[in-house]
Amino acid sequence: MRVLPCSPLPVLLLLLQAWETQLQFAGPRCRTGPLDLVFVIDSSRSVRPFEFETMRQFLMGLLRGLDLGPNATRVGVIQYSSQVQSVFRLGAFSRREDMERAIRALVPLAQGTMTGLAIQYAMNVAFSVAEGARPPEARVPRVAVIVTDGRPQDRVAEVAAQARARGIEIYAVGVQRADVGSLRAMASPPLDEHVFLVESFDLIQEFGLQFQGRLCGKDLCAEGGHGCQHQCVSSPGTFHCACNAGYQLAADNKSCLAIDHCSFGNHSCQHECVNTLGGPRCHCREGHDLLPDGKSCQARDLCNGVDHGCEFQCVSEGHTYRCLCPEGRQLQADGKSCNRCREGHVDLVLLVDGSKSVRPQNFELVKRFVNQIVDFLDVSPEGTRVGLVQFSSRVRTEFPLGRYGTAEEVKQAVLAIEYMERGTMTGLALRHMVEHSFSEAQGARPRVLNVPRVGLVFTDGRSQDDISVWAARAKEEGIVMYAVGVGKAVEEELREIASEPAELHVSYSPDFNTMTHLLENLKGSICPEEGIGAGTELRSPCECESLLEFQGRTLGALESLTQSHILWGWGRPLKGRGPGGPPTPNGFLNHSLAQLMARLEELENQLATHK
């Protein structure tokens, strides 16, 4: 047996007084009707003096919470080691003071640990009518509380089963070194309510609260002293601790620890996982916004979140943004406005995706979007000419550049377009535009007039054919290319189609219903560069200056042809007419050219006279 270090007597008494004070359980004494209660106390030599004092004070603390009396709760106490000794029987005392006096006078037996023998004594003697127990027909509950600190030296399972069979409810309380298996063999079911392993003084007090609650039916949570950090959940005769949402119970069954949901590794957050009371939450780094899926992050578009004031286009750059102007216009000193684009003339061909993925209702939105572009164009034969090509698995010219002379006519033609459906052959559409749409036969103005040629491709998905060759060819032909993507459009393809820089020539909208915001980007983008198409009025071919210019170009061309011997008879008497027959082909050509020259000289003279 280990020896308890000696302590000065005054200190020991102070400690015992403090423990006794704590064990005076709060609240009124319980009044639940009659009860026969026997305490079976282990006083073997393995129980050190200081530990025995702890059990003594604990026992007296329990008495203070009971309603004692001949017709209420009767209490008896026995102690055991190698033998069993009755401290006082059930019918001996009815006053608490008398019971406490007898408990204070207890002297430990300090021998072996015959727990089975003690249970046998309690069953046959302590709970007998002769010792003060009420007869079985009175149906008074019989309860035994066994307090031990070690392993029994005899068998307990069989005798404990006999005691339980006789209606004795057994609580097994182990102190420090007690054998848990033996405790479970002795106790009544359910074991989690009848077996207690006391490792500290606080747990002794906890058992007292629970035992008193079972006997008295008290709300142990309301009584206090439960030690639960968050919540105390009361049940008949007992309680357990619970934690708030987002926390879990610690090993001591009282404290609560925050649940680290992020450590589970299944949060799927793109940037950062943050623990909250409701579970894991994803958080994005600065400059990014959380997408609707609650996991993915997207770089914040400051242009959509602030009143940027850019006249033409706003471009987000990390934590800031900058304004851009369309090609041919310069950003002003305020960093927002653009110098005004001079009035000019443009040949504009729209390539509109009519594939199956667009769907009919969205195709109507596309047509409305095209008409909004037409609204800010100066559509006229001398101003801007508009043509439209629809493509899917094939290409169809809806109307060429030279067909309509007013914006209203163009808009009516757009509304009348029928949806094609099927595939997405963007490369085929680009080829058609380059080879046909900008030809003079389709209404494009001659290159000599330097009228800018602009192509605008509108698509919602990936092309099913190669676009690289004809996208490059379009730009080689001097066509300024714009690419507008919606939904599942592929950014790489949009950039390949568009002219440089891509920031000014590529636009994107995630949805057909929100693509109208692209109008501000496109508005003003179609701005002619320097040349006859920009800032130079196109004269009517019937005006004098136009005729003189045409005459000069024609004479120069004829002279070049003559020098190349193509017009061999130029300036000579006509030949090639057979006797009495029609002129030969060469003679007819020379004759016609001579008439043309004469007419040009006549017009020139008339102009000179008019002036």
Side-chain angles (χ1 to χ4, degrees):
M1 182 178 68
R2 288 179 293 178
V3 180
L4 180 70
C6 295
S7 301
L9 182 60
V11 175
L12 178 61
L13 293 176
L14 286 173
L15 289 174
L16 293 177
Q17 184 179 4
W19 286 338
E20 183 175 354
T21 301
Q22 291 186 54
L23 286 168
Q24 295 180 13
F25 306 113
R29 295 188 180 94
C30 96
R31 300 178 182 274
T32 60
L35 173 71
D36 288 345
L37 174 62
V38 173
F39 290 97
V40 183
I41 304 299
D42 181 356
S43 64
S44 61
R45 57 176 167 266
S46 64
V47 180
R48 294 172 292 186
F50 190 77
E51 293 169 343
F52 190 82
E53 289 301 322
T54 299
M55 285 195 291
R56 190 200 307 270
Q57 299 301 325
F58 163 66
L59 184 58
M60 290 190 294
L62 283 177
L63 293 177
R64 293 187 180 96
L66 299 176
D67 182 25
L68 304 175
N71 298 319
T73 299
R74 298 181 184 180
V75 176
V77 177
I78 62 177
Q79 68 168 334
Y80 73 94
S81 61
S82 297
Q83 58 185 354
V84 180
Q85 180 188 61
S86 176
V87 180
F88 58 85
R89 56 188 179 83
L90 281 171
F93 304 119
S94 59
R95 296 192 316 143
R96 178 176 59 83
E97 292 81 0
D98 296 332
M99 296 180 188
E100 288 186 356
R101 188 179 302 108
I103 292 172
R104 286 194 178 96
L106 266 175
V107 177
L109 299 174
Q111 296 176 2
T113 309
M114 304 295 287
T115 310
L117 180 64
I119 297 174
Q120 183 78 35
Y121 181 91
M123 177 177 62
N124 295 331
V125 179
F127 281 108
S128 67
V129 177
E131 290 288 302
R134 277 155 283 201
E137 58 268 20
R139 297 185 180 277
V140 174
R142 295 180 174 183
V143 177
V145 178
I146 302 173
V147 182
T148 180
D149 83 322
R151 182 188 299 273
Q153 295 175 342
D154 58 353
R155 296 182 178 182
V156 297
E158 183 177 349
V159 68
Q162 293 175 2
R164 294 194 299 268
R166 292 191 186 184
I168 300 174
E169 183 179 6
I170 301 178
Y171 287 86
V173 182
V175 179
Q176 292 184 348
R177 299 171 296 275
D179 177 58
V180 177
S182 299
L183 297 177
R184 296 173 65 85
M186 293 185 288
S188 297
L191 295 179
D192 59 342
E193 295 182 6
H194 291 81
V195 176
F196 295 87
L197 184 61
V198 178
E199 296 179 351
S200 67
F201 182 79
D202 290 337
L203 289 178
I204 295 177
Q205 183 183 21
E206 180 183 321
F207 166 72
L209 285 170
Q210 295 191 28
F211 179 72
Q212 187 183 41
R214 286 192 178 92
L215 294 180
C216 306
K218 290 184 178 182
D219 183 350
L220 296 181
C221 294
E223 294 293 330
H226 51 76
C228 297
Q229 182 178 356
H230 284 182
Q231 303 172 23
C232 177
V233 180
S234 218
S235 57
T238 186
F239 69 91
H240 68 272
C241 299
C243 297
N244 298 333
Y247 293 83
Q248 60 186 358
L249 205 60
D252 63 0
N253 290 322
K254 292 183 178 182
S255 307
C256 294
L257 303 174
I259 300 175
D260 187 2
H261 297 279
C262 296
S263 66
F264 298 159
N266 59 351
H267 50 76
S268 302
C269 297
Q270 182 179 354
H271 283 183
E272 300 171 1
C273 177
V274 178
N275 281 302
T276 67
L277 295 181
R281 294 288 185 273
C282 294
H283 179 73
C284 296
R285 292 189 287 269
E286 186 177 358
H288 294 76
D289 294 315
L290 195 65
L291 294 182
D293 65 2
K295 298 179 179 181
S296 305
C297 297
Q298 184 179 56
R300 184 173 302 140
D301 187 358
L302 294 179
C303 296
N304 289 335
V306 298
D307 183 15
H308 52 77
C310 296
E311 179 184 347
F312 174 65
Q313 184 179 3
C314 175
V315 177
S316 290
E317 294 182 337
H319 304 314
T320 184
Y321 65 90
R322 63 189 177 96
C323 298
L324 295 179
C325 292
E327 191 173 355
R329 299 175 62 183
Q330 299 296 321
L331 193 66
Q332 298 299 286
D334 62 3
K336 296 182 177 182
S337 59
C338 304
N339 65 335
R340 305 314 302 168
C341 177
R342 293 176 295 176
E343 291 295 332
H345 316 287
V346 176
D347 284 344
L348 172 64
V349 174
L350 300 161
L351 297 185
V352 177
D353 185 348
S355 61
K356 186 177 181 179
S357 62
V358 176
R359 299 188 179 181
Q361 66 271 25
N362 290 330
F363 190 74
E364 293 302 314
L365 295 175
V366 172
K367 293 197 292 187
R368 187 188 309 170
F369 180 76
V370 169
N371 279 346
Q372 288 175 309
I373 295 176
V374 174
D375 282 335
F376 65 75
L377 297 176
D378 178 26
V379 179
S380 66
E382 295 80 25
T384 296
R385 298 182 184 180
V386 179
L388 192 144
V389 174
Q390 184 182 176
F391 67 94
S392 59
S393 297
R394 55 191 179 89
V395 179
R396 183 173 72 201
T397 298
E398 301 294 351
F399 53 86
L401 283 168
R403 179 168 297 177
Y404 300 115
T406 67
E408 193 58 37
E409 290 175 336
V410 172
K411 291 169 68 176
Q412 289 297 324
V414 170
L415 294 177
I417 295 173
E418 294 184 359
Y419 179 39
M420 293 176 69
E421 297 193 9
R422 299 187 181 178
T424 309
M425 304 294 282
T426 312
L428 184 63
L430 291 169
R431 178 176 181 176
H432 180 88
M433 179 193 71
V434 173
E435 292 185 340
H436 302 287
S437 300
F438 284 107
S439 66
E440 293 184 32
Q442 293 274 310
R445 281 163 282 201
R447 290 187 179 277
V448 69
L449 296 180
N450 288 333
V451 175
R453 296 181 173 183
V454 177
L456 194 154
V457 179
F458 188 98
T459 181
D460 84 321
R462 183 184 295 275
S463 176
Q464 295 174 337
D465 61 348
D466 181 62
I467 65 168
S468 57
V469 173
W470 290 101
R473 179 74 176 275
K475 286 170 268 192
E476 290 171 2
E477 292 290 326
I479 302 171
V480 180
M481 295 299 299
Y482 291 86
V484 177
V486 177
K488 295 182 180 179
V490 180
E491 182 182 359
E492 291 78 6
E493 289 190 355
L494 297 177
R495 288 179 170 271
E496 190 167 9
I497 292 170
S499 298
E500 294 291 341
E503 291 81 6
L504 293 178
H505 294 84
V506 174
S507 300
Y508 174 78
S509 175
D511 186 75
F512 284 92
N513 293 304
T514 59
M515 63 185 177
T516 52
H517 76 277
L518 302 178
L519 285 170
E520 288 302 318
N521 293 346
L522 292 172
K523 194 173 182 179
S525 291
I526 308 170
C527 182
E529 299 178 358
E530 297 295 334
I532 197 168
T536 304
E537 182 182 3
L538 290 180
R539 298 189 299 270
S540 170
C542 296
E543 294 181 0
C544 297
E545 290 82 356
S546 298
L547 288 172
L548 289 173
E549 182 179 343
F550 174 70
Q551 179 186 10
R553 291 203 302 271
T554 302
L555 290 174
L558 291 173
E559 182 65 28
S560 175
L561 291 172
T562 301
Q563 293 175 358
S564 301
H565 305 289
I566 295 174
L567 298 179
W568 180 78
W570 178 255
R572 301 180 182 182
L574 292 176
K575 296 181 180 180
R577 185 190 296 269
T584 63
N586 285 340
F588 182 80
L589 176 60
N590 291 334
H591 177 68
S592 299
L593 289 171
Q595 287 181 329
L596 177 60
M597 291 300 301
R599 178 58 178 160
L600 288 172
E601 290 177 359
E602 181 182 350
L603 288 172
E604 185 177 2
N605 292 332
Q606 288 178 2
L607 288 172
T609 303
H610 179 72
K611 290 182 179 181

